[in-house]
Amino acid sequence: MADSILLLAEEAETHNPLLPATYDIVWSLVALIIVGLVFWKYVLPLFQKVLDERSEQIEGGIKKAEEAQAEAAAALEQYRAQLAEARTEAAQIREEARTQGQQIIADMKAQAQEESDRIVAAGHSQLQAQRQQIVTELRGDLGRTAVDLSEKIIGEALSDDVKRAGSIDRFLSELESLSADSASGK
């Protein structure tokens, strides 16, 4: 029995309990190679396909985002151009309105001045006509009064129209010269 214990002890020393037996290592390597081949042949291509699809989706999304960003930038630039054009047009409209307003004011002033001149001229002509009418009426009245007064002073009738007209004109001339002298003396 002592020999058998010695043999067991020798075997135990030659055999490391941490290392598996050689047949276990060989079969484990065969199973690992088979699983690796199946994984490499079937699983890895599916995984690569999913990764490619996702990569394409991401790249497509990036392209779409870049296109949308470019469209947005173009729309923004177009909006800015339209805004600048609208501002320029508004400034032109304001300037035209200001010019038209000034023109309307100038036209209204000119019309008002013309109307004022016309009214003044009409007033002068009407005043001149009334003055002429009054002077004519006064000459007639004054002439009759002068003839009546002369007839009373002289005592004879001045029925001759030529003498009457001459007397009236002489009398009125003297009156006008007296009023002209008194006006220039002031």
Side-chain angles (χ1 to χ4, degrees), residues 17-29:
L18 294 177
L19 287 177
T22 307
Y23 68 90
D24 283 337
I25 292 175
V26 170
W27 285 111
S28 295
L29 279 177

Side-chain angles (χ1 to χ4, degrees), residues 143-144 147 151 158-169:
R144 278 190 297 277
V147 168
E151 286 178 351
L158 296 173
S159 56
D160 188 7
D161 287 335
V162 174
K163 289 182 182 178
R164 184 184 294 175
S167 299
I168 291 171
D169 286 338

